[in-house]
Amino acid sequence: MKYGIGFLFCLLMLAMACQTPKTENQSNGEVDAQGEVNPNGDSELAIVMRAMHDHGKQLRAELEAGKTISPYPQLIQTINEATPTDGMIDDHRVFEGFSAHYLSKLDSIYLQGVNQKLQFNNMVSSCITCHQEYCHGPIPAIRKLYLAQ
């Protein structure tokens, strides 16, 4: 009996020690754009990407409602200067090509006389193309931005 209680106590302590410790983000309730705790912290690029996703959701809602679209946050223009999460981008030149493509697709939404919904979906596709190369995690959330044609 004496050893049984000791064994149970050790087993309980082992189970508690094996739990994943909470990060600062988890303890303060901070969540990422997909509503999940950000496992990689908040690099400058992650913050820019969240602004891009938030703006995408706003644009989607405005386009679906037939409203005039709001301008995009200037923070998005800093995509190439923003520091990425460690180890995510090996060759920044390749990433700059993806980001230039994204920015051109974003700008095309605002041109007069274009099919804004089509241009918006092209912008979403450019995000997915980049995330197929870097950081696959957000792809399901990005796909949800597509507008029905």
Side-chain angles (χ1 to χ4, degrees), residues 43-46 48-49 76-101 103 130 133-134:
S43 71
E44 291 175 0
L45 186 56
V48 172
M49 294 277 177
I76 292 173
Q77 290 289 340
T78 68
I79 189 170
N80 286 320
E81 292 82 35
T83 304
T85 302
D86 289 340
M88 292 304 292
I89 298 176
D90 295 329
D91 187 349
H92 207 71
R93 294 171 298 179
V94 174
F95 177 76
E96 287 175 358
F98 283 122
S99 63
H101 186 251
L103 291 171
C130 182
E133 183 70 27
Y134 303 106

Side-chain angles (χ1 to χ4, degrees), residues 2-139:
K2 180 177 166 183
Y3 294 109
I5 293 173
F7 178 74
L8 287 176
F9 179 75
C10 288
L11 192 59
L12 177 64
M13 295 305 288
L14 180 63
M16 289 174 50
C18 290
Q19 289 182 354
T20 304
K22 289 188 176 188
T23 64
E24 183 176 329
N25 285 350
Q26 289 172 320
S27 62
N28 71 15
E30 188 172 318
V31 294
D32 68 12
Q34 290 79 36
E36 298 174 14
V37 174
N38 181 8
N40 298 322
D42 293 328
S43 71
E44 291 175 0
L45 186 56
I47 292 168
V48 172
M49 294 277 177
R50 283 191 207 109
M52 292 163 62
H53 187 259
D54 290 346
H55 180 253
K57 289 191 296 188
Q58 180 181 356
L59 278 179
R60 183 178 195 276
E62 291 168 347
L63 289 168
E64 284 181 326
K67 295 182 179 179
T68 301
I69 58 174
S70 56
Y72 58 84
Q74 290 304 305
L75 178 64
I76 292 173
Q77 290 289 340
T78 68
I79 189 170
N80 286 320
E81 292 82 35
T83 304
T85 302
D86 289 340
M88 292 304 292
I89 298 176
D90 295 329
D91 187 349
H92 207 71
R93 294 171 298 179
V94 174
F95 177 76
E96 287 175 358
F98 283 122
S99 63
H101 186 251
Y102 163 79
L103 291 171
S104 71
K105 295 301 177 189
L106 177 62
D107 286 338
S108 69
I109 299 169
Y110 292 89
L111 296 174
Q112 286 295 103
V114 299
N115 178 334
Q116 289 181 313
K117 290 182 179 182
L118 175 64
Q119 296 305 321
F120 176 82
N121 282 342
N122 289 340
M123 179 203 68
V124 173
S125 292
S126 75
C127 295
I128 290 173
T129 300
C130 182
H131 278 277
Q132 287 172 333
E133 183 70 27
Y134 303 106
C135 189
H136 302 154
I139 292 175

